[in-house]
């Protein structure tokens, strides 16, 4: 395994970097966070702490699930638990992280919180399963891109998400994350 080395920044004649460009329309840059082989197998994970220009951290976990690499805020929206370290479970056909603290199920792809709903049976007393439901997106997800020299992530920070309130906290299981300056 090759050691991880951050991508070098080289400024183009247009004034933005080529290794992790800030696009003319103001999108955040893709930043190299891992070597290709660190996320090559199902279940591989890399936890990073992305520092903005002011030094504020954001904990993000990259997770390989059956060949697709997803990036989510590492800390659970509900109570700040180490979601990025949670088990991956199938919930109604959706790959979900299960938060180790309270077992909340959050989809890898969209950040939605799913739950198994119930309803009253015809007798009006007994509860019966009523399928999988979503309470909506609660956990922020981010864009990933595989390049020849490694895995890149771009923070997607549009809108407000409940996971934002825990994005920079120090939580056991995630606190030892690699630090990368954005």
């Amino acid at each position: 395994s090759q050691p991880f080395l951050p991508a070098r920044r080289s400024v183009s004649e247009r004034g933005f970097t080529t290794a992790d460009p800030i696009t003319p329309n103001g999108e955040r840059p893709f930043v190299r966070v891992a070597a290709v082989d660190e996320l090559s197998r199902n279940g591989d994970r890399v936890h990073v702490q992305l520092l903005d220009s002011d030094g504020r951290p954001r904990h993000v976990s990259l997770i390989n699930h059956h060949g697709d690499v997803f990036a989510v805020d590492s800390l659970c929206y509900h109570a700040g638990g180490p979601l990025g370290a949670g088990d991956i479970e199938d919930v109604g056909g959706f790959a979900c992280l299960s938060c180790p603290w309270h077992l909340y199920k959050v989809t890898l792809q969209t950040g939605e919180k799913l739950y198994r709903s119930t309803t009253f049976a015809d007798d009006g007393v007994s509860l019966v399963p009523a399928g999988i439901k979503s309470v909506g997106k609660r956990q922020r997800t981010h864009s990933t891109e595989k390049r020849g020299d490694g895995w890149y992530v771009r923070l997607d920070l549009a809108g407000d998400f409940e996971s934002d309130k825990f994005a920079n906290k120090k939580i056991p299981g995630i606190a030892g994350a690699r630090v990368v300056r954005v």
Side-chain angles (χ1 to χ4, degrees):
S1 172
Q2 292 285 330
F4 172 76
L5 297 171
R8 295 178 194 222
R9 293 178 182 231
S10 59
V11 180
S12 73
E13 64 277 0
R14 294 162 74 190
F16 44 86
T17 62
T18 56
D20 51 350
I22 297 173
T23 59
N25 66 1
E27 280 188 327
R28 293 185 154 275
F30 272 101
V31 179
R32 185 173 183 264
V33 295
V36 171
D37 65 345
E38 289 181 278
L39 291 163
S40 62
R41 293 177 312 276
N42 183 45
D44 283 349
R45 296 175 195 221
V46 172
H47 305 291
V48 296
Q49 200 179 110
L50 298 173
L51 300 180
D52 67 15
S53 59
D54 295 329
R56 290 178 303 224
R58 181 170 208 99
H59 294 279
V60 175
S61 295
L62 283 81
I63 302 164
N64 180 327
H65 183 66
H66 297 300
D68 292 319
V69 173
F70 301 92
V72 299
D73 278 357
S74 299
L75 306 177
C76 184
Y77 77 89
H78 170 242
L83 180 67
D87 291 336
I88 297 174
E89 299 179 12
D90 178 83
V91 179
F94 296 95
C96 293
L97 283 169
S98 179
C99 183
W101 284 8
H102 299 108
L103 304 178
Y104 278 41
K105 310 301 187 229
V106 176
T107 65
L108 283 169
Q109 189 168 18
T110 65
E112 288 179 80
K113 193 268 190 194
L114 301 182
Y115 67 99
R116 297 181 195 282
S117 67
T118 57
T119 190
F120 286 104
D122 292 339
D123 66 10
V125 177
S126 306
L127 287 174
V128 295
I132 303 299
K133 303 244 171 126
S134 169
V135 297
K137 296 179 181 182
R138 300 290 189 260
Q139 194 74 19
R140 190 176 293 280
T141 59
H142 306 283
S143 301
T144 61
E145 187 174 286
K146 181 181 178 183
R147 299 183 188 172
D149 66 336
W151 280 97
Y152 288 71
V153 66
R154 177 173 55 209
L155 295 177
D156 295 331
L157 300 177
D160 294 319
F161 283 79
E162 290 182 47
S163 64
D164 293 341
K165 66 184 174 251
F166 297 108
N168 64 356
K169 305 297 183 203
K170 292 182 180 178
I171 302 293
I174 302 294
R178 166 184 305 149
V179 176
V180 178
R181 188 163 297 280
V182 175

